[in-house]
Amino acid sequence: FTGSAFGSAAIWQYESLKSRVQTYFEEARADWMDKMRPQKRGDFRKQVNSWWNNLTEGQRTVTGIIAANVFVFCLWRLPGMRRIMFTYFTSNPSSRALCSPMLLSTFSHFSLFHMAANMYVLWSFSSSIVSLLGCEQFIAVYLSAGVISTFVSYVAKMAMGRFEPSLGA
């Protein structure tokens, strides 16, 4: 998984750079008429765009991760989703589904405080680590760390003979 994550991140990084270079040259060739497009309407949309544009690249990257964690947290609160959530979003070495929960349980949290604390810490170092690694490599590190820590949890549970499900990485 880790090799695939970092290989995919390298391809993503290359494609992003290629796209930025192409966009730069396309804008340089653009007609002055192309730049005179009507302005978008809506104050809320302008506020969201302003907020988003003021974020660092790291904060934008982590915003997506936080949104995924909040979405999974909300799914845990839906009674009709409990069975699916226990099957795929908790790690348990005795479960039928072993591989997908290794990744998906990374996004599960037991309580709002647990999730808020984890997301605050992630947000606090996101700018520096993403500027060091780049957003693609950071996401590969994040996902790989979740899978590896779940694997270590599997090994520890098997060694101790405990086979109860757990949340998180």
Side-chain angles (χ1 to χ4, degrees), residues 22-37:
Q22 285 175 339
T23 302
Y24 174 78
F25 285 116
E26 285 172 4
E27 287 177 0
R29 278 188 257 138
D31 221 13
W32 66 272
M33 288 296 284
D34 288 342
K35 295 189 186 258
M36 301 204 45
R37 294 189 178 121

Side-chain angles (χ1 to χ4, degrees), residues 20-167:
R20 277 186 260 157
V21 169
Q22 285 175 339
T23 302
Y24 174 78
F25 285 116
E26 285 172 4
E27 287 177 0
R29 278 188 257 138
D31 221 13
W32 66 272
M33 288 296 284
D34 288 342
K35 295 189 186 258
M36 301 204 45
R37 294 189 178 121
Q39 294 294 319
K40 296 176 183 175
R41 294 183 182 163
D43 290 332
F44 179 73
R45 187 173 181 176
K46 286 179 184 177
Q47 289 174 347
V48 170
N49 282 338
S50 175
W51 170 78
W52 183 257
N53 291 332
N54 288 330
L55 295 177
T56 64
E57 184 182 17
Q59 290 170 332
R60 283 188 217 134
T61 303
V62 170
T63 299
I65 294 172
I66 291 171
N69 279 277
V70 169
F71 180 71
V72 170
F73 184 77
C74 291
L75 287 177
W76 274 105
R77 302 304 175 259
L78 299 174
M81 292 297 294
R82 288 281 166 104
R83 187 172 184 185
I84 292 170
M85 298 306 286
F86 272 110
T87 303
Y88 295 105
F89 287 84
T90 60
S91 59
N92 186 354
S94 64
S95 175
R96 291 178 308 158
L98 286 176
C99 294
S100 56
M102 290 178 76
L103 175 63
L104 297 176
S105 68
T106 303
F107 299 97
S108 288
H109 294 85
F110 179 70
S111 68
L112 183 61
F113 178 75
H114 175 215
M115 183 183 66
N118 284 356
M119 296 304 104
Y120 174 75
V121 170
L122 185 64
W123 182 270
S124 68
F125 71 83
S126 64
S127 294
S128 58
I129 196 75
V130 170
S131 67
L132 178 68
L133 298 175
C135 75
E136 301 87 358
Q137 298 296 326
F138 170 73
I139 291 174
V141 167
Y142 180 82
L143 295 176
S144 295
V147 170
I148 290 169
S149 64
T150 303
F151 178 75
V152 170
S153 172
Y154 280 0
V155 171
K157 286 178 183 180
M158 301 269 299
M160 293 187 295
R162 295 184 171 188
F163 298 105
E164 63 270 354
S166 59
L167 291 172

Side-chain angles (χ1 to χ4, degrees), residues 4-20:
S4 296
F6 280 99
S8 299
I11 293 168
W12 183 16
Q13 228 169 1
Y14 168 77
E15 291 296 330
S16 293
L17 179 62
K18 187 172 105 177
S19 175
R20 277 186 260 157

